[in-house]
Amino acid sequence: MALLEVKNLGISFGGLRAVDRFEVEIKKGQLYGLIGPNGAGKTTVFNMLTGVYKPTDGIIKLDGEDLVGKKTIEINKAGIARTFQNIRLFSQQSVLDNVKIGLHNQYKYSALTGILRLPKYHKMEKEMNEKAMELLKVFELDGKADFLASNLPYGEQRKLEIARALATNPKLLLLDEPAAGMNPNETIELMDTIRFVRDNFDMTVLLIEHDMKLVSGICEELTVLNFGQVLAQGKTKDVLNDPEVIKAYLGE
């Protein structure tokens, strides 16, 4: 059974059909790519998968659980986490606190416990600090735990955003143009990071990306969107050599 199963997914904004009959199946442990020209509907698909938009029609199932109609926080708890094309860190919070924010859906205590700093509060804070530092160490950011997130170089901010997403303990990680704004060396390092996350966190990854070197370098299968509809699907090499994809997407 596929980890993510999407069938006949569509959404309309007024009279505009932004995405129509989108379908995809992603197996557990896959590195899967969603590509297409600007305005093809890729981020709209991500927004439906994460509850930002409610689909007009269609089915979204994660590990057999129906997600359509659920709120973003419910979908996150079900096992989907995402990053954004424009990095959305808490820039004036520390690197450590950014990751701890991702952990909060796994730790619950009452307002009174927090206000009075009761033993349960201190126990949970200690556990969260330890887990957050473990994640930061994986991304070689533990030495900068006390830095403001805004003071990290761009590539490390991307890593921090991925670390925060992983802190929510997802089954499926959605990466929205993770290489945006990166230089070639940072992109190569990002590719290694994504592979590491898949292999060491038992993670399934779905990414939107325009950098074809990254896409061809790490994605095992692709779906191509064009004008809100699936243009092609399959193994990465086959899809990138499809004449219709070349015509519509690569402009050659």
Side-chain angles (χ1 to χ4, degrees):
M1 185 178 71
L3 176 69
L4 180 70
E5 182 182 6
V6 180
K7 291 186 177 180
N8 199 35
L9 193 67
I11 189 168
S12 299
F13 299 105
L16 174 66
R17 188 69 168 171
V19 174
D20 187 40
R21 292 174 292 175
F22 176 80
E23 299 197 352
V24 71
E25 287 191 0
I26 301 176
K27 301 180 185 72
K28 190 176 187 299
Q30 270 195 309
L31 285 172
Y32 200 102
L34 177 60
I35 67 172
N38 288 328
K42 304 181 298 296
T43 297
T44 301
V45 168
F46 266 29
N47 285 337
M48 287 190 283
L49 295 179
T50 54
V52 177
Y53 296 154
K54 183 178 179 180
T56 306
D57 39 58
I59 295 169
I60 302 170
K61 288 187 177 181
L62 182 74
D63 230 358
E65 180 180 353
D66 186 7
L67 300 183
V68 173
K70 292 185 182 293
K71 296 178 181 178
T72 298
I73 191 168
E74 294 172 327
I75 290 174
N76 179 245
K77 287 180 178 179
I80 295 182
R82 75 178 290 184
T83 65
F84 296 86
Q85 180 180 351
N86 299 313
I87 294 174
R88 296 187 187 181
L89 294 171
F90 295 95
S91 59
Q92 296 307 304
Q93 297 288 328
S94 72
V95 168
L96 179 65
D97 283 343
N98 267 271
V99 178
K100 285 172 66 178
I101 287 166
L103 289 167
H104 269 288
N105 71 348
Q106 301 166 55
Y107 290 86
K108 299 295 180 186
Y109 53 77
S110 68
L112 184 63
T113 297
I115 292 169
L116 298 180
R117 299 293 196 269
L118 297 177
K120 182 178 180 181
Y121 168 84
H122 290 292
K123 181 176 182 291
M124 287 189 173
E125 281 294 307
K126 183 174 182 293
E127 289 179 5
M128 288 173 67
N129 279 333
E130 289 172 353
K131 285 194 173 183
M133 287 301 293
E134 286 174 8
L135 270 172
L136 289 175
K137 189 172 183 179
V138 166
F139 291 94
E140 298 181 342
L141 292 173
D142 50 318
K144 297 182 178 180
D146 294 329
F147 285 33
L148 289 180
S150 59
N151 290 340
L152 292 180
Y154 188 85
E156 290 185 347
Q157 288 189 28
R158 280 288 181 199
K159 285 185 177 182
L160 178 57
E161 193 178 33
I162 293 172
R164 185 181 63 186
L166 290 174
T168 67
N169 196 30
K171 300 174 184 177
L172 174 65
L173 179 62
L174 308 184
L175 303 177
D176 192 348
E177 295 198 36
M182 287 189 170
N183 63 44
N185 288 335
E186 288 173 330
T187 299
I188 291 170
E189 188 175 347
L190 174 67
M191 290 169 66
D192 292 338
T193 298
I194 294 171
R195 289 193 196 96
F196 181 89
V197 165
R198 190 273 298 271
D199 295 340
N200 291 272
F201 287 86
D202 194 25
M203 192 59 54
T204 306
V205 180
L206 170 61
L207 64 89
I208 293 171
E209 188 51 68
H210 284 291
D211 188 319
M212 287 300 105
K213 285 186 178 180
L214 186 149
V215 168
S216 61
I218 66 171
C219 292
E220 296 154 348
E221 294 189 26
L222 294 178
T223 290
V224 183
L225 269 183
N226 195 32
F227 298 109
Q229 295 186 325
V230 173
L231 178 64
Q233 274 182 330
K235 299 293 184 183
T236 297
K237 184 178 179 181
D238 296 337
V239 170
L240 293 181
N241 287 321
D242 186 314
E244 290 302 313
V245 173
I246 294 170
K247 180 181 176 183
Y249 184 67
L250 301 178
E252 297 178 8

